[in-house]
Amino acid sequence: MSKKTPVTISDIARRVNMTPVTVSRALNKPDLVKPATLARILEVAHELDYVPNAFARSLKRSESMIIGVITASVDNPFYSEMIKAISREAKTRGYTIMLVDTDGSEELEAKAVDTLLSYRVAGIVLSPVSDEPAYQPVYLSRLSNGDIPVVQLDRALPASPFSHVVLDNYHSGLKGARYLLAQSPAMGRMLVLTGPAHSRISEERLKGVKAAIAGSGKPVQLDVFAGDYTLEPSHQSTLDYLRDHPLPDAIFGFNQLITLGAMKALRDRDIAHHSVAICGIDRLPFADIFGIPIACIAHDASLAGSSAVKLLLERIEDRHLPKAQVVIVGELENGVGG
């Protein structure tokens, strides 16, 4: 079956026996066309299934109604919630999002930036693959010197000039550790499963954990295993830990997938999840449905996503607005006695 050729303004013009200029005016500035002429053109456009070329129109007008969204992983449930909120908020202002999942690849992230710039998007919501101090992507200077507004979400590139929406990572670590300490008055050992060791998110959350332990006055052994923000590394780290150590008094996972990886390891070893105090950062998806209300420090992912779009739209309208920061605070949920 041959591929259907897109209908153009010229095709409509031939059918109605008018000039392409008249058809274009009817489709783009209908108030300048006689009602009878407009009705005929719209009727034929509908019959031919005409779809406007939004990209071509944006090039001609030097404007776009597309917001680019670059995310490191749509597999992360927290990111999925943020993306849904970004899309909803953008729609209320007449924008459409163009989503690119880099799957944690620096190369794909650089290509994503190039692609969005080539489409002349109105702005970009960027969640970089890394927030480590050493990560200085090649596209950073191009975005910094360019005319397209950028807002970073969740992760922020070091020393970047862009506004950003981030989580209150220090206090998330602090609140989670305090909850776990309260669950085990005689706590001797806490297993903490983090993201990348040099990630600023991991470092801030770990600072909060250490501050909670120091404030408790308890001689807690802190065992830290770094991985990434996916399930399998934490699953393997927990299995390795359980092989070489007795069951810890508490387990703290630094995101949803990390916490799920630890719980999977407990199941593999036939250890009931309620036999050890567990806390994660952000809600476990659908856990309550199965009667497993795991304690967590929950952040409002929808608020994070919508806040990023609002910051971006403000900067699309006024390119001279100063750099801004929004911090999403997390709160304890499902805590026993919390």
Side-chain angles (χ1 to χ4, degrees):
M1 181 181 294
S2 60
K3 186 175 181 180
K4 183 178 179 181
T5 304
V7 175
T8 67
I9 285 176
S10 295
D11 296 326
I12 299 173
R14 282 192 293 271
R15 177 72 72 89
V16 298
N17 196 27
M18 299 178 192
T19 67
V21 173
T22 301
V23 174
S24 177
R25 186 179 297 121
L27 296 174
N28 297 298
K29 298 180 179 180
D31 54 310
L32 300 181
V33 179
K34 293 179 180 179
T37 300
L38 176 62
R40 175 58 179 155
I41 290 172
L42 293 179
E43 179 185 12
V44 171
H46 180 72
E47 290 174 358
L48 296 178
D49 291 329
Y50 171 72
V51 178
N53 187 331
F55 178 49
R57 290 166 66 183
S58 69
L59 291 179
K60 186 176 181 180
R61 298 177 182 177
S62 297
E63 65 182 30
S64 169
M65 297 303 289
I66 298 174
I67 290 174
V69 180
I70 301 176
T71 177
S73 174
V74 295
D75 295 333
N76 187 323
F78 188 77
Y79 274 48
S80 298
E81 286 187 56
M82 289 195 295
I83 292 166
K84 284 192 290 186
I86 290 170
S87 179
R88 283 195 298 265
E89 187 66 31
K91 286 176 185 176
T92 66
R93 299 286 291 273
Y95 286 84
T96 300
I97 70 166
M98 180 181 291
L99 174 65
V100 184
D101 177 14
T102 63
D103 203 24
S105 164
E106 296 179 20
E107 181 181 359
L108 291 179
E109 183 173 89
K111 288 181 179 179
V113 170
D114 287 342
T115 298
L116 295 179
L117 291 178
S118 73
Y119 274 88
R120 300 190 187 181
V121 295
I124 296 175
V125 176
L126 170 65
S127 184
V129 301
S130 174
D131 66 345
E132 297 185 15
Y135 184 53
Q136 294 292 319
V138 294
Y139 62 77
L140 182 56
S141 61
R142 189 158 69 257
L143 286 181
S144 301
N145 299 327
D147 191 42
I148 295 180
V150 176
V151 170
Q152 298 172 107
L153 180 57
D154 188 36
R155 299 171 186 166
L157 294 166
S160 66
F162 314 125
S163 298
H164 52 266
V165 178
V166 294
L167 308 184
D168 187 356
N169 292 300
Y170 172 82
H171 286 99
S172 294
L174 183 75
K175 293 173 183 176
R178 282 177 174 171
Y179 165 76
L180 291 172
L181 289 163
Q183 300 314 299
S184 180
M187 181 179 294
R189 191 180 295 269
M190 182 187 298
L191 172 61
V192 177
L193 301 160
T194 79
H198 300 294
S199 159
R200 289 192 295 172
I201 292 175
S202 292
E203 290 177 346
E204 285 300 305
R205 291 177 179 177
L206 192 56
K207 283 181 185 178
V209 172
K210 291 178 178 178
I213 292 175
S216 73
K218 297 178 180 179
V220 177
Q221 172 66 42
L222 190 63
D223 297 323
V224 180
F225 280 68
D228 58 25
Y229 290 109
T230 61
L231 185 149
E232 193 50 43
S234 70
H235 172 235
Q236 190 58 54
S237 291
T238 306
L239 284 176
D240 293 343
Y241 182 89
L242 294 173
R243 181 193 62 217
D244 300 329
H245 302 85
L247 184 68
D249 298 291
I251 297 177
F252 194 176
F254 273 13
N255 84 344
Q256 299 153 310
L257 297 177
I258 290 174
T259 307
L260 286 171
M263 293 180 67
K264 181 182 178 184
L266 292 175
R267 187 195 63 185
D268 290 348
R269 290 288 305 272
D270 292 323
I271 300 171
H273 71 271
H274 52 75
S275 63
V276 54
I278 299 175
C279 185
I281 292 183
D282 293 315
R283 303 178 185 93
L284 296 188
F286 311 117
D288 288 352
I289 294 176
F290 299 100
I292 310 174
I294 299 300
C296 67
I297 306 301
H299 301 89
D300 191 332
S302 293
L303 177 61
S306 61
S307 297
V309 175
K310 290 175 181 176
L311 282 181
L312 186 66
L313 292 175
E314 289 171 357
R315 279 146 187 81
I316 290 173
E317 294 172 1
D318 183 352
R319 305 299 172 95
H320 302 292
L321 286 176
K323 178 178 177 179
Q325 172 180 282
V326 174
V327 179
I328 308 298
V329 176
E331 297 297 344
L332 176 66
E333 289 188 2
N334 290 331
V336 177

